[in-house]
Amino acid sequence: MSEQDAERWEFTDRPAGSGVPAGPDGDAVAELRRRIAGGRGETWLRSSRGRELAVVSNGERAMVMLLDGPGDPGGHAVDPGEDGWSEGFLLAGGQEDAYPDADTVPLGRALELVRCLLETGAPPPDAPWSVDR
């Protein structure tokens, strides 16, 4: 695939071409880490192909969702076998959610998944993933 055909990602809350680029070079992951450490729980990225990647974190765990576009239920990373719920997932509008731990992954793993999604366009083959369609 040529560089021209490569899927490009950008943060949806920044004008195109400004700020930290969202790409496989690690800048997007570093930016996500800064946002989460700063208390920002929800971040969305959009690709040049119209796909969307969402990361919602409480600082310890994160929900990582990949959608084919607006309105698509997409899929999300899962942590099979985990019990319980985690709270404190702060959404952009101020709502605070709780999610089953089985539907979220530890933050470090979430950032690894994001890096792979930006590099390859898909989760790693060994990553448990729920298709929500």
Side-chain angles (χ1 to χ4, degrees):
M1 176 185 319
S2 74
E3 189 171 316
Q4 187 175 12
D5 296 334
E7 188 171 26
R8 294 171 313 281
W9 293 86
E10 63 186 26
F11 290 95
T12 61
D13 61 343
R14 294 189 175 178
S18 69
V20 177
D25 55 11
D27 287 346
V29 173
E31 174 68 7
L32 279 171
R33 190 180 306 278
R34 281 190 294 275
R35 288 173 180 225
I36 292 166
R40 184 172 184 168
E42 179 180 5
T43 298
W44 286 83
L45 296 102
R46 183 169 299 117
S47 87
S48 57
R49 296 183 183 154
R51 299 194 309 157
E52 297 176 326
L53 174 62
V55 178
V56 181
S57 178
N58 67 355
E60 294 178 15
R61 298 186 70 82
M63 178 171 283
V64 178
M65 300 174 286
L66 180 63
L67 315 171
D68 282 342
D72 176 49
H76 69 279
V78 294
D79 196 355
E82 282 297 309
D83 275 347
W85 288 68
S86 292
E87 299 178 342
F89 294 89
L90 185 61
L91 303 181
Q95 178 179 320
E96 190 172 309
D97 281 354
Y99 299 121
D101 288 342
D103 283 330
T104 63
V105 295
L107 182 57
R109 179 65 172 151
L111 296 174
E112 291 171 9
L113 293 172
V114 168
R115 181 174 281 112
C116 183
L117 287 162
L118 295 177
E119 288 175 358
T120 69
D126 66 341
W129 196 264
S130 175
V131 176
D132 300 324
R133 290 179 188 89

